[in-house]
Amino acid sequence: AVVAEGARHGARAAGRVVDGLAGDALDLAWHRARAELAAGFDVVGDVVRRGAVPVLPLPYGDVPLAVALDTFVMEAAVHHDDLQAA
């Protein structure tokens, strides 16, 4: 794939250029979401390095982020297996 001049994250030049990214709408959305997620992890990392324990506010109460991430990964794996079995 050809990379557009100035493109970030290796987006393909298959469509229009938006915010320096070139590619179709799904490709653009993927790269934006990936950048936002990486930025979020940077924020959490900074907070943890300062000694805080980040929590995820959920309807049933605040859950430590590490526990929430473990739970969400487990849930994703279980439901993926359910879909495969169906």
Side-chain angles (χ1 to χ4, degrees):
V2 176
V3 177
E5 185 177 337
R8 296 183 301 250
H9 307 295
R12 290 178 295 285
R16 59 196 166 105
V17 176
V18 178
D19 294 336
L21 295 175
D24 61 23
L26 184 57
D27 201 31
L28 294 173
W30 163 252
H31 290 290
R32 281 194 186 123
R34 185 176 174 212
E36 289 175 15
L37 183 60
F41 278 119
D42 288 344
V43 169
V44 171
D46 290 342
V47 170
V48 169
R49 280 188 286 282
R50 289 194 304 258
V53 177
V55 296
L56 183 66
L58 294 172
Y60 43 83
D62 291 347
V63 176
L65 186 59
V67 173
L69 291 175
D70 285 346
T71 302
F72 293 153
V73 169
M74 184 262 325
E75 287 285 337
V78 167
H79 292 298
H80 174 266
D81 288 346
D82 289 344
L83 288 172
Q84 293 295 331

